[in-house]
Amino acid sequence: MTNRRLPAALCVLATGALLAACSNTATPPGGGTASAALRIASNSSEKIALDAAIAAFKRANPGIDVQVTYADTDPYLTTLRTQLSSGTAPDVFFAFPAKGNAGAVQVLAPSGYLQDLSARPWAGQVPQDVKTVTQAGGKQYLLPVTFTGIGAIYNKKAMREVGGSEPTTWKDVLDLCDKARTAGRTAFALGNQTPWVTQLIDYALVSTLVYTPGSTFDADLAGGRTSFAASTGWKGAMDKYLELSKRGCFSKDPLGTPVETALQQVGKGEAVAAVQVLATAGQIRDAAAQGTELGMFPLPATDDAQATRMPGAVGTSYAINAKARDRAAAEKFIDFLAQPQIMNDYAAKSNAAPAIPNDAFAPDPAFAALLEYQKSGRTVPFMDQFWPNPKVQQAHLSGVQELFSGAATPQDVLTEMDKAYKSN
């Protein structure tokens, strides 16, 4: 975690009064009070892009002051739910697609926490596949801003120094681990002390091992015709996760390493790569020397390079609180974000693509793999987006930590995920 992010993370855990005190807004010109400002909350990984969007919004709307707070995913979700239930949530806030966690649209909207955005001018431009994860009950509740992916973000200088190259097969992955270890480096930085990080390598592997072309796994799971425990793909992913650990591919003591430290390891070249959401590339760059070049590759799970797929899905989305204190300002901000140039700028700063495509977007060539895979139909949605409740994700997150502590086997974790899936 960069030093500048720590206060925001601490702020969002605090009371509403302290939140206002910790906001990065300036006192409104003319002696206004902080209580008159448009309040926005987001994930720490959005800080670079959202700060820039807010600055542009304030230039275009000098009469609207903005307070913004950031937090990492776990404290953010906890605080958001508390604020929504107590009526103190911000006017605009980061929310997740589909229904896989406590901050997801199809969890929040049925409880009446979100404003219906179906009548906003951009709503008709949302692509159909994006609508399925940003709507609830046929109504548009989220503005999707970016399309992102999960892959191995790597430091090109560190890759060269260990004598490696982008792996295209599972064997190549293991070879990269050996080369990095021989060179006194870590192949993949891993911060499994941070719960949400634990899922990423499984997702990267499952995209190939479970979601083969024509896969009906999600439908079969929902129909009770299969289970996580019966899935050779899910079992295979967890076995390979542990194989990477035993091979010495990861940071020393992953359970004692927070995500911020892991990202810094890549930026500094102590580790070659980290399997991460692309939005974290900004945090890696924060820790890197000027001029450091980053790249990314999908994490192979087999020795058939053509079989590799990667997770790709709606990344950043924003919602308006149904009880927004300043609804007009909230709608103005959401509509501002939906403008093609603003969305393009946001996506570029997030190392992602705009969720509502337009011809003016020029992607960062360092992360072209995601768009190449998207165009060729080799991306699959993030696995949790279609799980029926947040309990499945929690069972997965805690289960992986238990895997790494030796307290559970892959079959134990998958069985607990099945129990959570059926508990809805």
Side-chain angles (χ1 to χ4, degrees), residues 20-213:
C22 293
S23 166
N24 68 0
T25 187
T27 302
T33 64
S35 62
L38 172 65
R39 300 167 302 157
I40 301 173
S42 190
N43 192 291
S44 295
S45 63
E46 306 298 311
K47 181 172 175 55
I48 294 173
L50 183 58
D51 276 356
I54 289 173
F57 176 74
K58 292 172 74 170
R59 287 194 295 272
N61 299 275
I64 300 177
D65 187 36
V66 180
Q67 295 178 350
V68 57
T69 55
Y70 296 96
D72 286 336
T73 301
D74 297 307
Y76 177 81
L77 285 173
T78 301
T79 304
L80 178 64
R81 287 305 301 245
T82 300
Q83 291 177 324
L84 286 169
S85 61
S86 64
T88 60
D91 302 301
V92 175
F93 56 87
F94 181 100
F96 294 81
K99 56 186 175 183
N101 67 42
V105 59
Q106 291 165 11
V107 174
L108 298 179
S111 298
Y113 291 136
L114 306 182
Q115 179 180 326
D116 181 4
L117 303 178
S118 301
R120 306 314 305 164
W122 45 264
Q125 303 169 29
V126 178
Q128 184 59 41
D129 60 333
V130 173
K131 286 182 179 177
T132 61
V133 295
T134 56
Q135 292 187 345
K139 297 180 179 178
Q140 189 72 36
Y141 285 102
L142 298 186
L143 168 66
V145 180
T146 66
F147 183 89
T148 189
I150 297 172
I153 304 170
Y154 72 95
N155 182 320
K156 291 188 175 182
K157 181 173 182 286
M159 181 73 88
R160 289 193 299 271
E161 289 175 346
V162 304
S165 58
E166 292 186 8
T168 60
T169 65
W170 179 248
K171 179 181 180 301
D172 290 346
V173 173
L174 298 180
D175 287 347
L176 176 60
C177 294
D178 295 343
K179 289 179 179 178
R181 191 173 61 255
T182 300
R185 309 284 182 92
T186 297
F188 296 98
L190 183 61
N192 274 358
Q193 185 186 86
T194 304
W196 66 266
V197 173
T198 62
Q199 65 196 317
L200 301 179
I201 288 181
D202 266 344
Y203 284 10
L205 296 172
V206 163
S207 64
T208 299
L209 296 177
V210 174
Y211 294 93
T212 54

Side-chain angles (χ1 to χ4, degrees), residues 237-257:
M238 290 193 175
D239 286 343
K240 287 180 182 293
Y241 204 163
L242 292 177
E243 183 181 355
L244 291 172
S245 180
K246 291 175 182 175
R247 189 85 168 208
C249 299
F250 297 140
S251 310
K252 183 180 180 181
D253 188 20
L255 288 179
T257 304

Side-chain angles (χ1 to χ4, degrees), residues 125 336-346 354 356 358 360-361:
Q125 303 169 29
F336 183 82
L337 272 184
Q339 296 179 65
Q341 187 57 54
I342 302 301
M343 190 172 286
N344 288 353
D345 291 344
Y346 197 112
I356 301 176
N358 65 81
F361 180 69

Side-chain angles (χ1 to χ4, degrees), residues 321-382:
N321 182 357
K323 297 181 180 177
R325 189 175 55 194
D326 191 339
R327 187 177 309 279
E331 291 177 345
K332 183 168 287 189
F333 181 74
I334 285 287
D335 293 347
F336 183 82
L337 272 184
Q339 296 179 65
Q341 187 57 54
I342 302 301
M343 190 172 286
N344 288 353
D345 291 344
Y346 197 112
K349 287 182 170 57
S350 300
N351 302 296
I356 301 176
N358 65 81
D359 293 337
F361 180 69
D364 184 334
F367 306 110
L370 171 64
L371 297 183
E372 291 172 3
Y373 270 64
Q374 182 191 21
K375 289 178 181 176
S376 62
R378 298 172 69 189
T379 57
V380 300
F382 294 172

